[in-house]
Amino acid sequence: MSAPTNLSYDIGDAVPLVYTISQAATVVLTVTDPDGVTSTPGTTQGVGPPATPGGPATVTYTANVPATKAGPWRATFVATGTVTDTEEQIFIVRRPVAADIYCTIGQILEQAGADADNLPEPLLRRAVQATSRAIDRATGRRFWPDLTPTIRLYRPRSHTSVITHDIATTTGLAVATDEAGNGTYSTIWAPSDYQLEPLDAAADGEPWWLIRAVGDRRFPVRDRRRATLQVTARFGWLTIPDDVNQAAILKATKLFKRRESPDGFASGMGEYGPVRISRYEDPDAWLLLGNVMRYSTPET
């Protein structure tokens, strides 16, 4: 008889279930999803390792179950015939990871050395969410891209360059200026009219955050109360840097483990309250984030 499985999966995964017994038998697998709906997937018989060194081979029954719903699932193998046995296996299916969070619940559990059983998942999710937004504030940027191009307006301080928000990709990028000062961005710039910087950003897996006018083009600099530059782009970062992911794991784990201290947060508390990352309270996380801090302010 095999040991019960207790693992976490994501929606869309094919969950591998394995049941091992000493002899071939009639085996029926019943799977119960988080809503209590049952199904009986077919199993495939195979050969397993000997139960004892030098002993006869065992028999395995396997199945791949699609993880379609978030929550706890139960798989029950029932063997009848030459062998009579029942085994229950539990696995957890997690909700899809949001694009705007910088670590997963599984990474927190691994860092904390905790088991997924009977842990307050809402508290874990709040720790991840609060940590991700604290990282945004600490670094002055966000490490996920807009799903589609969005419009932002800028007030150039120079005729030749303008500091923008992080631009994740050139796909869908458009630059236009208001030459007449009437709020209409009718002058469309060609890609040859401007240059994105830092020049090596794409090679380093980082975004661009400065547009430099080249050739005969110049940014209109007029009344500082009116924005004269319109940029359409997918702003943010295309991928989460490893430093940000590790900093998020450290901070979110620290928040989560506060529930274990007398002055920490009680399980079920609605919010963590203000969360910040500082060089004094979180030196390791701060050190990691130092590599991706933004020190230039967009010209908005």
Side-chain angles (χ1 to χ4, degrees), residues 1-2 19-28 45 51 56-61 77-87:
M1 185 167 59
S2 60
Y19 171 59
T20 304
I21 57 176
S22 58
Q23 302 178 54
T26 299
V27 173
V28 176
Q45 182 178 328
T58 56
V59 180
T60 62
Y61 293 85
F77 289 91
V78 177
T80 57
T82 55
V83 177
T84 301
D85 182 51
T86 299
E87 177 176 290

Side-chain angles (χ1 to χ4, degrees), residues 14-98:
V15 180
L17 300 175
V18 180
Y19 171 59
T20 304
I21 57 176
S22 58
Q23 302 178 54
T26 299
V27 173
V28 176
L29 167 63
T30 301
V31 175
T32 306
D33 73 15
D35 294 330
V37 178
T38 61
S39 61
T40 54
T43 60
T44 300
Q45 182 178 328
V47 178
T52 58
T58 56
V59 180
T60 62
Y61 293 85
T62 60
N64 289 312
V65 177
T68 56
K69 300 177 183 177
W73 291 59
R74 183 173 68 253
T76 305
F77 289 91
V78 177
T80 57
T82 55
V83 177
T84 301
D85 182 51
T86 299
E87 177 176 290
E88 186 174 274
Q89 301 181 8
I90 303 295
F91 59 92
I92 306 296
V93 176
R94 304 283 182 194
R95 294 179 181 85
V97 176

